[in-house]
Amino acid sequence: MTIDSLKRLLVFVLFCLAQALVCNRIQLFHCAIPLPYIHFVIMFPRNLPKWSILLWSFALGVTIDMFSNTPGVASSSLTLAGALQPYLLEFFIPRDAEENINVSAKTLGWGKFSTFTLLIVFIFCFTFFTVEAFNFYNWQQWLQYIFSSMLLTFILILSLETIRQ
């Protein structure tokens, strides 16, 4: 195992512990749930193979599902976000950028990083709450969960990114 893989494994464990021990117990205004572990998928570097991104995303999703008692919800949502991450990242990286660029606000700039993060978080939250609800009977509550959790998660990721720099 390389140092990069060990660091990624440590971040994996930290996100799992943070979600299981802290974030699963938070529900602001009975609808906003922080889901900061999507930041793990956002941070994948450009040169990481797509199969590796999918494997890491699925493994994190299954682990979160086990701790959160949401069978298949986090794993399907994270796997979709992991599948789309490399393709969406290409829209925000300059063409002449180096191949092994790490995704952060420092390398992309705050504007591009914020837009990229908001897009990935929206896709993740939309998928997460759609799979969790599995019907559109109460569509106002469904939209409320999506957008409030998306906003809370987005703010939390930007805060983590500020600390990371």
Side-chain angles (χ1 to χ4, degrees):
M1 277 185 128
T2 64
I3 297 295
D4 188 46
S5 296
L6 289 175
K7 285 180 186 178
R8 192 167 286 117
L9 185 62
L10 177 66
V11 171
F12 180 97
V13 170
L14 288 175
F15 274 123
C16 287
L17 289 174
Q19 185 67 34
L21 299 176
V22 178
C23 295
N24 278 349
R25 299 182 186 350
I26 298 173
Q27 190 174 13
L28 295 177
F29 309 114
H30 299 290
C31 61
I33 302 167
L35 305 165
Y37 53 89
I38 187 65
H39 193 223
F40 184 75
V41 174
I42 292 169
M43 291 187 317
F44 286 131
R46 182 181 188 186
N47 65 342
L48 197 65
K50 290 175 182 64
W51 64 267
S52 179
I53 293 173
L54 286 174
L55 192 63
W56 278 106
S57 300
F58 181 73
L60 179 62
V62 166
T63 307
I64 295 294
D65 280 337
M66 285 190 295
F67 287 123
S68 301
N69 197 21
T70 55
V73 176
S75 58
S76 61
S77 304
L78 274 178
T79 304
L80 178 65
L84 295 176
Q85 190 263 4
Y87 300 106
L88 293 174
L89 182 61
E90 291 300 320
F91 290 115
F92 297 96
I93 294 179
R95 290 194 184 267
D96 58 343
E98 58 190 54
E99 191 62 32
N100 60 351
I101 190 170
N102 288 321
V103 178
S104 68
K106 186 177 180 180
T107 58
L108 293 179
W110 277 102
K112 287 183 179 182
F113 179 78
S114 297
T115 308
F116 174 67
T117 300
L118 193 60
L119 187 60
I120 293 285
V121 169
F122 173 73
I123 291 168
F124 171 72
C125 286
F126 181 82
T127 309
F128 186 88
F129 290 109
T130 302
V131 171
E132 185 181 50
F134 209 67
N135 67 28
F136 299 107
Y137 178 73
N138 194 354
W139 63 272
Q140 293 98 350
Q141 185 181 16
W142 171 71
L143 288 175
Q144 188 177 20
Y145 272 105
I146 290 172
F147 288 110
S148 62
S149 296
M150 182 183 77
L151 182 65
L152 182 61
T153 302
F154 178 68
I155 291 169
L156 191 58
I157 288 173
L158 291 183
S159 302
L160 288 172
E161 192 63 31
T162 304
I163 294 169
R164 197 175 104 167
Q165 287 186 355

